Amino acid sequence: MNSYQSTLDYLFSQLPMYQRIGAVAYKANLDNTIKLLAELNNPETKFKSIHVAGTNGKGSTSHMLASIFQTAGYKTGLYTSPHLKDFRERIKINGECIPEENVVDFVEKNRIFFEEIKPSFFEMTVALAFDYFAKEQVDIAIIEVGMGGRLDSTNVITPLLSVITNIGMDHMQFLGNTIEKIAAEKAGIIKPETPVIIGETNEKTAPVFLEIAKQNHSEITFADVETQCIASLQNVDCDLQGIYQQKNIQTALATIFSVKNQFPNLSEKAIREGLANVVKNTGLLGRWQIISEKPLIICDTGHNEDGIKQVLLQLSQTPHRRLHMVFGVVNDKDVTTILSLLPKNAIYYFCKPNLPRALNESDLQQQAQEFGLQGDTFPTVAEALKTAKKSAHSDDLIFIGGSTFVVAEVV
């Protein structure tokens, strides 16, 4: 009998994993996922699903949807990535992580087949999630795309509905270097005669979505334009802080209204309660999360141009005396664009999150200095935060971010 830890070591180490090592782990086809699921008797065909893609907001939107369905009394699967603390956060039912023994059993049972086809970490995780949701007979599963859409391992489902939150510049080395190319990759989750919700209208991406929806005979709704479904739900409260969540709420509401006739318990009360208790119901971490007061310490996983812009807007609207930024990045992000956006009057604590593709803190400091950003370097996130706490006044603000992996070390 293998332990959970040794199973995880197997999942993480033996298989290339984009999250840790970057581009070499990216496979541009769905062949392995299809073989794996066939071996498992195609669990993805045994439950209803909603598929969520997008550059930013897909995680928050997925958790909002899961919370609403759960509140309405439906047994709700939720598949997301990456995890912050424990691998099992990726696969939840009604907010509960998949049990350790299920992870261990799955790998033990299928190990011989894995050795044969050599699936990636992500392919195995998707197969595990779909297998678990099918066995547990969920009423609905919210499936978040890992990266892109068209060639993402999750793109083997036939969902009730596809959702694309928005398009920004991220993962350009895989998805293309223009906003239209990235949109086309994300639009790869649009299925024949399956409605699609677009969270944000953008003049460059809208034509791409309209064309692909038309080819698929799929009804398309732009959530920020179609407001009649949302008019009945004025002033909903959501426990996910952050101005940027307003767009995600709109996208989640448009999604719920689109499938309401198939889920009669999706009442206004369930929708309101679900949005008010996302964190409590799903355990979502790292979205404008307040870690402590006096000094106010906030972390956020925003890590690309659009995500950082939203974070900075929110910081500018949060009262504070001085701003301290505990900041680290991974080396395949567009670091110069991000650094060019950051405030020059903040005190920086440049650090390196604990993973192979993190950018070295001295390299980060050097690049930051070219943009007039000043601060010391720290080999770990913990040391950077410790120093920031010592330096900060009680009415200062300490922000921790730059990467999901920096946030993972403090929540």
Side-chain angles (χ1 to χ4, degrees):
M1 173 68 192
N2 281 333
S3 70
Y4 174 60
Q5 193 50 52
S6 66
T7 302
L8 278 195
D9 293 344
Y10 172 77
L11 281 168
F12 285 131
S13 64
Q14 219 169 301
L15 305 155
M17 174 182 165
Y18 164 70
Q19 191 179 317
R20 297 197 70 78
I21 55 176
V24 291
Y26 185 61
K27 288 191 188 162
N29 66 57
L30 296 172
D31 300 356
N32 264 351
T33 308
I34 291 164
K35 283 180 198 161
L36 257 180
L37 293 170
E39 177 75 7
L40 298 165
N41 298 324
N42 293 103
E44 78 285 4
T45 61
K46 294 171 185 155
F47 53 85
K48 292 175 176 166
S49 60
I50 292 173
H51 205 187
V52 185
T55 304
N56 293 308
K58 63 180 183 288
S60 295
T61 303
S62 296
H63 283 80
M64 286 176 189
L65 291 170
S67 183
I68 293 167
F69 276 102
Q70 204 175 310
T71 306
Y74 294 106
K75 188 172 189 180
T76 307
L78 176 61
Y79 174 78
T80 56
S81 61
H83 60 273
L84 286 181
K85 287 290 187 202
D86 180 355
F87 168 79
R88 299 180 306 129
E89 290 166 33
R90 293 167 181 256
I91 304 168
K92 293 179 177 176
I93 293 176
N94 288 355
E96 298 288 326
C97 293
I98 183 173
E100 290 184 3
E101 56 269 27
N102 290 56
V103 181
V104 174
D105 291 351
F106 177 80
V107 172
E108 268 187 9
K109 270 192 192 124
N110 299 291
R111 200 159 181 157
I112 292 164
F113 189 67
F114 294 157
E115 302 294 345
E116 196 182 307
I117 69 165
K118 300 272 188 284
S120 70
F121 167 84
F122 200 78
E123 289 161 342
M124 291 171 66
T125 309
V126 165
L128 167 62
F130 293 176
D131 188 58
Y132 180 57
F133 294 157
K135 285 181 174 147
E136 291 292 322
Q137 299 179 313
V138 296
D139 297 315
I140 181 78
I142 313 297
I143 308 292
E144 182 198 357
V145 166
M147 179 175 63
R150 184 173 65 93
L151 298 171
D152 187 72
S153 300
T154 60
N155 202 27
V156 291
I157 53 176
T158 305
L160 301 174
L161 182 78
S162 305
V163 181
I164 302 171
T165 55
N166 65 13
I167 303 297
M169 300 303 272
D170 201 2
H171 300 300
M172 279 91 81
Q173 69 272 49
F174 308 110
L175 305 179
N177 53 6
T178 68
I179 208 97
E180 294 87 345
K181 280 184 184 163
I182 294 174
E185 285 297 313
K186 308 264 184 204
I189 71 164
I190 298 174
K191 301 290 188 307
E193 294 172 16
T194 303
V196 56
I197 305 278
I198 308 293
E200 238 171 274
T201 312
N202 168 311
E203 58 187 18
K204 286 184 175 171
T205 59
V208 178
F209 295 139
L210 287 164
E211 179 54 34
I212 294 175
K214 189 176 146 193
Q215 288 167 12
N216 281 284
H217 306 288
S218 299
E219 185 191 338
I220 183 166
T221 304
F222 289 86
D224 53 354
V225 180
E226 294 280 331
T227 47
Q228 90 276 2
C229 64
I230 295 152
S232 61
L233 273 163
Q234 287 307 316
N235 312 322
V236 290
D237 286 321
C238 181
D239 62 344
L240 293 185
Q241 300 300 311
I243 313 163
Y244 58 86
Q245 296 297 2
Q246 286 309 313
K247 293 173 181 173
N248 297 329
I249 291 168
Q250 222 167 17
T251 307
L253 288 174
T255 304
I256 291 292
F257 276 87
S258 183
V259 296
K260 222 171 165 206
N261 55 351
Q262 298 172 65
F263 295 92
N265 299 351
L266 287 172
S267 62
E268 181 176 330
K269 183 171 183 282
I271 295 168
R272 285 185 181 277
E273 276 181 23
L275 285 172
N277 297 294
V278 179
V279 175
K280 192 173 126 208
N281 289 339
T282 67
L284 178 62
L285 300 167
R287 303 307 192 281
W288 199 258
Q289 187 176 341
I290 295 171
I291 293 179
S292 69
E293 318 259 351
K294 296 199 174 183
L296 184 58
I297 303 179
I298 294 170
C299 66
D300 192 276
T301 53
H303 57 270
N304 49 37
E305 184 182 347
D306 292 347
I308 296 283
K309 278 181 180 165
Q310 297 289 347
V311 160
L312 295 174
L313 175 65
Q314 183 99 14
L315 283 171
S316 70
Q317 296 180 13
T318 306
H320 59 271
R321 193 179 71 117
R322 290 217 68 172
L323 176 61
H324 302 257
M325 302 274 283
V326 173
F327 210 78
V329 296
V330 290
N331 60 21
D332 55 7
K333 291 294 164 200
D334 180 5
V335 180
T336 50
T337 301
I338 287 167
L339 292 173
S340 71
L341 298 168
L342 297 178
K344 295 181 177 36
N345 59 352
I347 303 161
Y348 287 85
Y349 304 78
F350 299 109
C351 57
K352 180 175 185 278
N354 181 23
L355 81 161
R357 64 185 181 100
L359 185 65
N360 178 291
E361 66 278 15
S362 305
D363 294 346
L364 178 60
Q365 179 195 42
Q366 213 170 351
Q367 290 187 46
Q369 280 169 347
E370 292 170 28
F371 293 93
L373 309 178
Q374 298 302 321
D376 293 330
T377 59
F378 301 86
T380 67
V381 176
E383 285 175 61
L385 179 58
K386 193 174 160 189
T387 309
K389 281 179 176 170
K390 274 187 190 153
S391 325
H393 200 266
S394 66
D395 52 2
D396 286 357
L397 195 167
I398 299 174
F399 177 78
I400 306 158
S403 162
T404 303
F405 303 100
V406 171
V407 172
E409 294 185 36
V410 299
V411 293

